[in-house]
Amino acid sequence: LAAWRSLGERRWEAEALYAIAALERDLRELPAAAVDFLQALALWRELAEPELEASTLNQLGMTRSYTGEIEAARDALESALSLWQQLGERFEEVETRSNLCYLDQISGALPAALACYEETRPLFRELGYEEEEARVLNSLGGVYDGLGEPDAALKHYEQALLRWREVGDRLEEARTLNNIGVVHRTLGEWQEALRLYGQAREILEPLGNRSLEAARLNNVAFAYSNMGEPQRALPSFEEVLKLRQET
């Protein structure tokens, strides 16, 4: 980055800032990521690169969402959406719409999130993006669960599960099994929940995804605790603590 700046190479400086910001976001160094995305954004505007400007706005918006800055996130995403529409980039437009749905979901505006996701789902299908449609189905399951509609939640989660299996995404398959287990746990169907958590464990073991494994173990522990078996819950709680200390 310093070398590009010293050489006055503005494009390469912007590329480096974007790459650094993406890495910082993945490492959950979110304030630093936001600063670097903003610097990259200013350069893309200076260089009149609307596609890269839109991409950076999208990433900035999602970074803001992770820090709970909902309005700032919405401003960035809506600006990105406007640019994608002007550029005629249909997939990126729908993807950004889906990110706006996510903002509604995490801010608790569940009816708005539901309507938003229902609008984006057929658009992904029309464009032929099965994985993105599966993500929307998974999100719809979460929204319906939050609205207290477990039957609708299960319907959408199970549709998502079929799609993940079709495309061979084992990590998302495990995530969705975990989500389905949570719904069954909420319904008091403890054994079915544990069976699903067990299926997720078999998938996760070779993948080594610690954050998702911690979430799964946490759900297992709560299931046993609610079943009145604290002696079986305790080892899972201890393993969760260990995994979270490591990550």
Side-chain angles (χ1 to χ4, degrees):
L1 177 60
W4 294 128
R5 280 176 172 162
S6 67
L7 292 168
E9 293 284 355
R10 306 292 271 169
R11 165 176 283 279
W12 288 109
E13 180 185 347
E15 292 276 10
L17 282 163
Y18 185 95
I20 291 167
L23 180 60
E24 289 168 334
R25 180 203 56 211
D26 292 345
L27 293 171
R28 283 298 188 260
E29 297 174 5
L30 300 177
V35 168
D36 287 329
F37 276 133
L38 281 168
Q39 290 185 66
L41 180 64
L43 288 170
W44 294 133
R45 285 172 171 164
E46 178 186 317
L47 294 164
E49 292 281 4
E51 289 190 18
L52 295 168
E53 178 186 347
S55 179
T56 305
L57 281 164
N58 198 33
Q59 296 301 324
L60 175 63
M62 295 309 293
T63 301
R64 296 291 199 199
S65 77
Y66 302 145
T67 58
E69 300 171 79
I70 301 301
E71 291 311 310
R74 192 178 302 279
D75 287 345
L77 290 172
E78 287 178 348
S79 295
L81 179 63
S82 178
L83 281 170
W84 291 130
Q85 288 171 331
Q86 292 171 35
L87 293 164
E89 295 289 353
R90 190 74 170 129
F91 170 75
E92 286 77 6
E93 176 190 342
V94 179
E95 182 182 46
T96 306
R97 285 185 186 278
S98 183
N99 289 339
L100 284 162
C101 301
Y102 171 74
L103 282 189
D104 288 330
Q105 184 177 0
I106 64 172
S107 63
L110 297 184
L114 182 63
C116 184
Y117 283 129
E118 290 288 10
E119 287 179 7
T120 60
R121 180 191 167 191
L123 297 176
F124 278 127
R125 187 190 312 144
E126 175 188 320
L127 293 168
Y129 286 90
E130 292 184 12
E131 292 188 23
E132 297 304 323
E133 185 186 357
R135 286 186 212 286
V136 172
L137 284 164
N138 212 16
S139 297
L140 280 165
V143 172
Y144 276 116
D145 190 30
L147 288 167
E149 298 185 41
D151 289 341
L154 287 172
K155 174 185 172 183
H156 286 84
Y157 278 142
E158 285 164 2
Q159 289 181 56
L161 184 63
L162 286 174
R163 298 293 170 83
W164 293 127
R165 286 173 172 164
E166 286 171 1
V167 301
D169 192 320
R170 298 288 278 165
L171 181 62
E172 292 301 329
E173 180 183 349
R175 192 189 311 277
T176 306
L177 284 165
N178 196 42
N179 290 339
I180 295 171
V182 170
V183 178
H184 283 288
R185 189 190 75 194
T186 303
L187 292 169
E189 297 170 355
W190 311 113
Q191 293 298 335
E192 178 62 11
L194 287 169
R195 185 185 71 81
L196 290 157
Y197 298 147
Q199 287 185 24
R201 177 181 58 79
E202 291 174 8
I203 295 170
L204 287 171
E205 277 185 348
L207 298 178
N209 188 297
R210 296 190 173 197
S211 61
L212 188 50
E213 175 60 8
R216 187 198 69 81
L217 281 165
N218 198 54
N219 289 332
V220 169
F222 273 109
Y224 279 127
S225 181
N226 282 285
M227 290 168 69
E229 299 185 43
Q231 74 283 0
R232 300 183 74 179
L234 185 58
S236 292
F237 277 130
E238 290 174 342
E239 189 63 25
V240 169
L241 183 60
K242 179 182 175 183
L243 284 169
R244 288 182 175 164
Q245 288 172 339
E246 292 174 353
T247 53

